[in-house]
Amino acid sequence: MMAAAGVNVVRMAEFAWDRMEPRPGAFDFSIFDETIDVLGAAGIETILCTPTAAPPRWMTSANPDWFRENASGVRMTHGSRQHVCTNHPEFRAASERITRAMAEHYRDNPRVIGWQTDNEFFCHISECFCPACGRDFQRWLREKYGNIQALNEAWGAAFWAQTYGDFSEIVPPRQDRPTYPNPGAQLDWFRFLGDAIRDFQGGQVNILRSVQPRWWITHNGTFQHVDYWNLAEDLDFLGVDVYPGFTVQKPEDYWWAAVKNEEARSASGSYIIPEQQAGAGGQWPYLHRTPDPGQMRLWAWQAVAHGADGILHFRWRTCRYGAEMYWNGVLDHDNIPRRRYDEFAREGGEFARLGDSILGTTLSVKVGVLLENDQDEAHQTMPMGLPSPDEQRRVILRELLRRKLEAGYVNAHDSFEGLGIIILPGFVLMDEDLAARLGEFVERGGLLVATARTATRHRNNHVSEFTPPGFLRDVFGATVEEFGKLERGSIDLEMAPGVVAPVGDGYEILSLRGARALGNWQCSRWPAPHAASGLPAVSHHVHGSGSAIYLGTYISADNAAALIGLVLDHANIPPLAVASDGVEITCRHSASHRLYFLLNHSGQPASVSALPVGTDLITGQPCDGDCTLSPFGVALIKA
């Protein structure tokens, strides 16, 4: 059935440690040997996973100190997954032992083409406060700062008498204190978590690469406290697991899955989907809606439309027992093919036929929404009930996709080449290097956009001594003279006489220093920051060959259409086509051609117009610029 459906690769073994090592040092790979051989005979290759997210019971029984410890000091127990601390040196040694045993066993098996490390780092839990983590945190800090005086300065430890005399005095910032932790210490703790999981993965990666260099290696994310740009440095490409059923209630909700795909693409460029939803996901407290006919195929094409170069659905046959026995796959419990299998086979046939036209192309991005893990971590150390960079980033991408623009996430460490607009969603941390790169982008003709609180702190999480936006004040030609939080509806942003955008959460009063005002504050109700009435809220500044817009507020679902519209008035970024809000359009391109992906997330037919002339590769029919999509339909126009 797999071969008939066009399957060319499967993924397995991510939780099978107890089957492969039923007793200490006694390895048995026979069930996988047989399965890989059967699949191989049908022309299907295998991705293996290191099974380190679920160690066997004999191991945890003998080593109770390996269990994770939560913020309240409670040790976890066996019976789930991710319950053992990846920083415990003995567990790391055991993880590397099973990795090496698997690698040596399959080193010459031509059917094994690649590996996934572990499974979904930090999916359920990202923090552990066991003694091993405490020791590793101290070591990490010692390597970063060199001496305790440098740490005390970086953390501002003089406040609340937190000055340390030695690294051994430092403990992780847990919840056993009367009030809130030091934000500098908290940010370093989050950074440590990400570096530590990369180090855990690195032990496995080094073994796999040394045993068989032809293998490629990936991991499946994306979750908090992992810097995936950093993690992906050790991988050939990243993977991301996408389950739209968590959020999709109406056609316009397609943006959530787009976000997951963009998180992976912006971290490693080329990426794959190790787990794409195949049925209704269900665990103890919930059960997703079953995908409508066509949605499973649509979601797979959506991943390809954002740059994915491989799709694996989770799962093949639904498991009949365990915590995920209602995490439904392509086949139901009884192994009988039904409509989801038929849809899966249609998708497989299309990918087999069109893969050569797609591989080698990349997503076209003209409007980049900047992403940097450090910005989200810094916000978590001092959220104050204000929108995070991630919250704004999602709203911004949603609005850009609604307008059918060539838009996507761009990592702050990446090149800005080819972008027309860069949007900084509340990048509180700023350094001279990033500021210089952003300034050069503007000088070369780009449009830079920032929202409230941008460039207000240094990388050590101290508030900057420079008037905001600090290192970027010359680029924006304006400074922030006052900021504050808002009662919703207490203030409006007037962008032109009679044209008002709703504002929520926060405001900033700008002082123009070469820039001109694009919007002013209106304060007609109480309570409101009356010092803001009539003063600049949005500025525009010409800098070199480009310009910069500073938005003295946060972008939200309420004002995204108005504020993004204001930004686009100052840039020449045409839409890819014209269609309703439930239709998603992206473009992948190469030196020789452009591919337009048209995705109808609605259960009703939808029309698309103003397309380039080309051919729909799925149907083989010519496209004269207009196209009608069936419910949950897909078109792929080559122009």
Side-chain angles (χ1 to χ4, degrees):
M1 285 191 289
M2 285 183 178
V7 171
N8 58 10
V9 66
V10 301
R11 160 183 165 270
M12 67 176 80
E14 70 267 38
F15 299 122
W17 196 338
D18 64 343
R19 295 300 298 269
M20 291 185 284
E21 192 179 5
R23 298 180 308 281
F27 298 106
D28 179 4
F29 302 106
S30 58
I31 188 173
F32 295 100
D33 295 344
E34 178 184 354
T35 305
I36 291 169
D37 286 348
V38 170
L39 290 165
I44 300 169
E45 297 176 306
T46 293
I47 302 166
L48 287 174
C49 308
T50 60
T52 47
R57 184 56 174 142
W58 61 258
M59 183 177 290
T60 58
S61 294
N63 301 282
D65 60 321
W66 291 9
F67 285 116
R68 292 181 189 266
E69 186 176 310
N70 70 16
S72 300
V74 177
R75 284 277 186 176
M76 297 189 176
T77 56
H78 198 90
S80 183
R81 69 183 194 187
Q82 297 189 351
H83 46 285
V84 172
C85 179
T86 53
N87 289 330
H88 197 290
E90 293 176 4
F91 177 64
R92 285 199 178 190
S95 297
E96 292 173 12
R97 185 178 68 250
I98 186 64
T99 299
R100 182 170 294 281
M102 292 178 71
E104 294 288 355
H105 184 79
Y106 289 107
R107 68 185 304 163
D108 297 321
N109 191 318
R111 301 297 187 182
V112 176
I113 62 170
W115 290 76
Q116 173 191 297
T117 58
D118 201 88
N119 187 80
E120 295 183 337
F121 289 139
F122 295 171
C123 170
H124 306 289
I125 182 170
S126 57
E127 297 179 81
C128 175
F129 298 88
C130 75
C133 288
R135 291 190 295 270
D136 267 14
F137 186 43
Q138 293 170 356
R139 175 192 53 76
W140 184 90
L141 292 170
R142 188 177 290 108
E143 291 175 357
K144 177 175 181 178
Y145 291 107
N147 62 77
I148 199 66
Q149 291 77 18
L151 177 141
N152 285 323
E153 182 177 344
W155 284 8
F159 189 77
W160 282 355
Q162 293 176 6
T163 304
Y164 297 96
D166 189 81
F167 289 101
S168 62
E169 298 174 359
I170 298 170
V171 296
R174 59 198 305 165
Q175 297 171 0
D176 57 354
R177 298 163 183 176
T179 187
Y180 305 107
N182 179 310
Q186 189 75 53
L187 181 56
D188 267 345
W189 170 248
F190 291 154
R191 289 165 170 164
F192 158 74
L193 295 173
D195 284 355
I197 204 66
R198 177 183 177 178
D199 193 45
F200 174 74
Q201 173 183 262
Q204 299 180 15
V205 169
N206 291 339
I207 291 168
L208 295 171
R209 295 208 188 281
S210 65
V211 171
Q212 181 50 269
R214 71 171 171 82
W215 285 330
W216 51 256
I217 306 172
T218 188
H219 177 74
N220 56 334
T222 54
F223 303 93
Q224 69 170 348
H225 301 322
V226 181
D227 184 339
Y228 285 98
W229 174 272
N230 186 21
L231 187 83
E233 285 290 299
D234 299 330
L235 304 171
D236 293 278
F237 44 80
L238 189 61
V240 59
D241 295 345
V242 183
Y243 291 97
F246 276 111
T247 61
V248 171
Q249 300 296 325
K250 53 186 184 297
E252 308 90 85
D253 291 341
Y254 69 76
W255 63 270
W256 184 89
V259 163
K260 298 302 290 183
N261 280 277
E262 286 298 307
E263 287 173 346
R265 187 196 54 78
S266 63
S268 70
S270 178
Y271 70 102
I272 66 169
I273 310 291
E275 297 183 19
Q276 180 72 57
Q277 184 169 348
Q283 294 196 55
W284 179 73
Y286 62 83
L287 178 66
H288 296 156
R289 286 182 65 250
T290 299
D292 288 327
Q295 273 191 313
M296 180 179 72
R297 167 180 171 265
L298 172 69
W299 292 336
W301 271 109
Q302 182 186 24
V304 178
H306 281 272
D309 285 338
I311 307 289
L312 295 94
H313 283 275
F314 190 88
R315 61 178 69 209
W316 173 244
R317 179 183 177 183
T318 309
C319 192
R320 295 186 297 109
Y321 44 79
E324 293 185 356
M325 63 185 184
Y326 286 109
W327 202 268
N328 296 279
V330 174
L331 300 176
D332 294 317
H333 299 93
D334 57 11
N335 209 36
I336 296 174
R338 295 185 173 90
R339 71 166 177 87
R340 292 202 304 280
Y341 173 83
D342 293 339
E343 187 175 323
F344 178 76
R346 178 186 178 187
E347 170 194 318
E350 291 169 345
F351 287 161
R353 180 164 52 88
L354 302 176
D356 288 343
S357 298
I358 297 169
L359 290 172
T361 65
T362 56
L363 186 72
S364 179
V365 178
K366 300 298 183 185
V367 186
V369 188
L370 220 60
L371 176 154
E372 187 185 41
N373 187 68
D374 235 20
Q375 306 295 337
D376 297 297
E377 304 285 41
H379 177 84
Q380 285 197 49
T381 70
M382 190 67 70
M384 299 183 293
L386 295 169
S388 69
D390 181 57
E391 289 171 308
Q392 294 186 81
R393 194 162 56 236
R394 291 169 180 242
V395 171
I396 294 166
L397 183 66
R398 178 181 182 178
E399 178 62 22
L400 295 172
L401 292 177
R402 187 185 72 81
R403 292 172 179 265
K404 321 306 180 205
L405 298 175
E406 295 170 86
Y409 286 175
V410 174
N411 195 284
H413 299 289
D414 213 334
S415 168
F416 301 150
E417 188 70 29
L419 298 175
I421 301 176
I422 291 176
I423 303 177
L424 296 176
F427 264 41
V428 293
L429 302 181
M430 189 57 59
D431 56 62
E432 291 182 276
D433 177 66
L434 178 56
R437 293 175 57 226
L438 292 168
E440 291 168 3
F441 167 78
V442 176
E443 289 171 357
R444 292 196 304 267
L447 172 60
L448 179 65
V449 183
T451 68
R453 299 288 79 206
T454 290
T456 53
R457 300 185 216 164
H458 294 301
R459 286 289 178 180
N460 59 9
N461 219 13
H462 291 192
V463 175
S464 172
E465 68 274 28
F466 304 118
T467 304
F471 294 129
L472 291 170
R473 58 192 180 277
D474 292 338
V475 175
F476 286 104
T479 55
V480 177
E481 299 302 306
E482 179 178 314
F483 80 96
K485 198 173 179 181
L486 291 171
E487 295 288 334
R488 284 190 175 268
S490 64
I491 188 171
D492 292 314
L493 197 166
E494 185 179 49
M495 299 184 295
V499 179
V500 174
V503 178
D505 298 310
Y507 76 97
E508 291 181 334
I509 300 172
L510 306 184
S511 175
L512 306 181
R513 301 174 183 272
R516 65 184 181 91
L518 293 183
N520 297 307
W521 292 119
Q522 277 189 353
C523 306
S524 56
R525 287 154 288 181
W526 188 90
H530 293 290
S533 189
L535 295 176
V538 179
S539 65
H540 177 260
H541 183 232
V542 175
H543 184 74
S545 299
S547 61
I549 293 176
Y550 192 93
L551 303 170
T553 189
Y554 299 94
I555 295 181
S556 67
D558 293 334
N559 64 29
L563 295 183
I564 295 299
L566 181 66
V567 167
L568 294 174
D569 287 342
H570 293 81
N572 181 26
I573 307 287
L576 289 165
V578 177
S580 62
D581 288 353
V583 175
E584 182 180 11
I585 303 176
T586 71
C587 176
R588 290 179 63 157
H589 67 106
S590 68
S592 62
H593 63 277
R594 288 169 66 86
L595 298 174
Y596 292 79
F597 293 79
L598 317 180
L599 310 163
N600 181 15
H601 293 274
S602 168
Q604 302 296 322
S607 60
V608 182
S609 60
L611 284 162
V613 174
T615 302
D616 183 349
L617 297 183
I618 294 177
T619 64
Q621 297 299 310
C623 173
D624 62 1
D626 296 324
C627 178
T628 299
L629 300 172
S630 61
F632 305 116
V634 178
L636 176 58
I637 309 301
K638 181 178 180 180

